[in-house]
Amino acid sequence: MPKVATTLEEAADLFDQMQDQGVTSADVADFYVEPPGARPDPSQPPSAPVRERITRHLVRRRKHAEKVFVTGQKGAGKTVTLARIVRDSAITEHFVPLVVRATRHIPAGAADIRLLLVMLITQVSQFIDERTLDQRVDLAGLKVGGISKVLSAWTKLFADKSTPAAPETFQNAKTKLSAQFLELSEEIVRDPQRRAQVLGDPRYSVTELHRVASALIEFTQQALELRVDGPQYLLLVIDDLDKYIVPSEVQSIFYDGMEALRSLPCPAVLTYPYFLNFTDSFVQREDSAHAIHNVKVAERVHQPPTLLPLERRALLDPARAFFNGVYDKLADRSLVLDQAVIDRAALLSAGIPREFLRLLSAGFELCIDHHKQRLDLPTLNVARIGLQQIMARTANEPWRQAGLKLVQARGDIQGFSEMLDTVHVVEYVNSAVWYGVHPAMEDLVEAWIRQDRNLLIDKGTDAAIVDRELEETWRKAAAGRPRAAD
């Protein structure tokens, strides 16, 4: 478990570091705090945590190549949840997890299903080596049928000369392939030209790459099943797929490549971008898709349906318990002036754990700059303004600003779901799901709305139709946005 920070410097660094820990980090698993369960019906008990439902499903269906898809807003806790799942005793009793953080191998903005399959081939091959699976199974001198045929056929794609002789054994085939794929995988990470070369070569087809990946996975599964001293099933966990939100990436991985992922011959847990939940053409089976919702932080006022101003907004008790638990695992209470600071950070986060960490990290940095001993509300507000400025710079296109005004005015995201994955827009969960701009930007967007309203009034627009005219103006501006993935 991470050491609890006792100085502002330690806290600033730790809160910053914990925003980007991977599934395989021991710290991130220890950092996990169970979020309060959703209560769609107040008369019924809270629903079981997503982590528990996924674990139960995987264990019950362990003999099948089940695929579980996990989503949620950026920072909602997907990585932390996956970290707890792969360490759950019910999982480790039956599965050997292979965890892959996709963005460590394929940069966001450059992903493609073919590059993803190359990465998987490399990772599975290394997994076999690290677990010495080809040594635990008696394969000496044995020709491994279809696996050797597939692997040996693929050596020609990475050789400068004519096709090498077919390997006689699985070990020989995999040794050759491993070295070649490892080199290719490393080149893909650092060399855009090499990525383009792979994508432009018709020999690197999804069908052939999928065949090799499946062959390695099948061997891994067979080797695990023959063991008598441990779990017998491979569990593939691919995190950070939700970071691939450029339209070309979404099309390649989640539309064109979805069947290739679904048909991999092992159980798997994969993340995906949250905004795809709102597209008609992307439909996941209900039992295979799980959303990690933001923590419910405040009640909505129904007349009109909106939140109270931040200064009058009351943090709900379950949310306070959750965010206190997150804070107390990382830092000493002496570093904040009082409970009000943690409450305000929780409200400003919209119930998104990473936003909570981001605000507090920025606040601790400001305390260091200003030679303060503790983080107080005025300093946290300066941190909020800094976050607002960062977010405003990435929302300076007229169509995006118009979209934010519409979301703030209407409480829905019709036509603007992609802004969920940039966290310009946040999802609130009460008895029903609704939406608003990020709390750090609320006053800025409200100022934009007031300015637009005053301009219409100054032009003589009838007050009775100002709101309708505003929405029509914003819709026209929003129509100028680039073509979205959905």
Side-chain angles (χ1 to χ4, degrees), residues 45-104:
S47 58
V50 170
R51 171 188 61 82
E52 184 179 312
R53 297 203 303 272
I54 292 174
T55 299
R56 188 170 60 240
H57 181 81
L58 287 170
V59 171
R60 187 171 67 243
R61 302 281 295 172
R62 62 186 178 275
K63 295 183 180 180
H64 306 273
E66 290 288 307
K67 304 299 181 294
V68 174
F69 296 89
V70 179
T71 193
Q73 277 205 263
K74 181 181 179 181
K78 297 180 290 296
T79 293
V80 182
T81 299
L82 296 183
R84 283 302 297 261
I85 288 172
V86 299
R87 287 169 175 78
D88 191 293
S89 59
I91 292 295
T92 57
E93 178 183 354
H94 299 287
F95 295 99
V96 181
L98 167 55
V99 179
V100 182
R101 195 172 189 189
T103 53
R104 294 288 172 86

Side-chain angles (χ1 to χ4, degrees), residues 42 48 166 222 229 239 257 261 285 294 298 354 385 417 447 458 475 478:
Q222 291 168 8
D229 59 343
D239 192 21
L261 295 175
R285 294 201 323 270
N294 302 334
R354 183 179 292 173
I385 294 171
S417 58
D458 290 345
R475 287 181 190 280

Side-chain angles (χ1 to χ4, degrees), residues 295-299 307-317 319-320 323 339-352 355-356 359 377 380 384 426 428 437-442:
V295 174
K296 179 181 175 181
V297 292
E299 294 288 1
L307 285 169
L308 289 169
L310 186 64
E311 292 73 17
R312 296 168 51 201
R313 210 171 291 171
L315 183 67
L316 298 176
D317 286 340
R320 177 176 291 111
F323 285 106
Q339 178 66 42
V341 175
I342 298 176
D343 286 0
R344 180 63 59 84
L347 287 168
L348 285 169
S349 76
I352 302 174
E355 296 302 286
F356 178 77
L359 283 157
L377 284 176
L380 185 65
R384 177 194 69 82
V426 294
Y428 292 98
V437 301
H438 192 294
M441 293 192 71
E442 283 179 8

Side-chain angles (χ1 to χ4, degrees), residues 149-390:
K149 290 178 182 177
V150 170
L151 296 180
S152 62
W154 257 80
T155 58
K156 65 182 179 182
L157 294 182
F158 310 99
D160 294 327
K161 300 180 181 179
S162 59
T163 303
E168 288 296 313
T169 66
F170 174 82
Q171 290 95 329
N172 289 342
K174 199 189 74 61
T175 297
K176 291 183 178 181
L177 195 73
S178 295
Q180 293 158 342
F181 264 97
L182 179 59
E183 181 180 358
L184 179 62
S185 185
E186 291 173 348
E187 290 172 348
I188 285 171
V189 174
R190 64 176 184 265
D191 188 347
Q193 291 184 340
R194 189 67 171 116
R195 288 197 295 271
Q197 181 184 351
V198 171
L199 297 179
D201 190 331
R203 293 175 300 176
Y204 294 87
S205 70
V206 174
T207 300
E208 294 304 317
L209 285 168
H210 180 270
R211 188 178 299 169
V212 177
S214 296
L216 287 170
I217 289 172
E218 286 172 0
F219 169 79
T220 302
Q221 186 60 62
Q222 291 168 8
L224 290 173
E225 289 174 357
L226 289 172
R227 297 193 317 175
V228 295
D229 59 343
Q232 295 187 316
Y233 302 98
L234 174 68
L235 176 63
L236 178 62
V237 178
I238 310 179
D239 192 21
D240 275 3
L241 290 180
D242 54 293
K243 303 293 195 302
Y244 300 130
I245 60 174
V246 173
S248 59
E249 297 176 309
V250 172
Q251 183 66 43
S252 176
I253 296 172
F254 301 105
Y255 289 101
D256 300 342
M258 180 53 70
E259 185 54 36
L261 295 175
R262 279 191 176 279
S263 59
L264 290 171
C266 70
V269 182
L270 310 94
T271 61
Y272 68 94
Y274 194 45
F275 75 86
L276 286 176
N277 276 0
F278 303 86
T279 61
D280 293 337
S281 54
F282 184 84
V283 180
Q284 293 289 354
R285 294 201 323 270
E286 186 176 344
D287 64 341
S288 69
H290 298 265
I292 298 175
H293 293 294
N294 302 334
V295 174
K296 179 181 175 181
V297 292
E299 294 288 1
R300 179 172 62 163
V301 178
H302 293 288
Q303 298 295 331
T306 185
L307 285 169
L308 289 169
L310 186 64
E311 292 73 17
R312 296 168 51 201
R313 210 171 291 171
L315 183 67
L316 298 176
D317 286 340
R320 177 176 291 111
F322 172 79
F323 285 106
N324 279 344
V326 171
Y327 181 92
D328 291 337
K329 285 200 171 188
L330 294 175
D332 192 273
R333 284 296 183 103
S334 64
L335 300 181
V336 295
L337 183 63
D338 52 26
Q339 178 66 42
V341 175
I342 298 176
D343 286 0
R344 180 63 59 84
L347 287 168
L348 285 169
S349 76
I352 302 174
R354 183 179 292 173
E355 296 302 286
F356 178 77
L357 297 175
R358 182 155 69 140
L359 283 157
L360 288 176
S361 177
F364 290 136
E365 288 286 1
L366 287 168
C367 287
I368 297 168
D369 291 344
H370 300 161
H371 306 289
K372 289 192 171 186
Q373 300 301 311
R374 294 181 176 186
L375 177 59
D376 55 18
L377 284 176
T379 307
L380 185 65
N381 189 53
V382 176
R384 177 194 69 82
I385 294 171
L387 176 58
Q388 178 187 102
Q389 292 171 343
I390 292 171

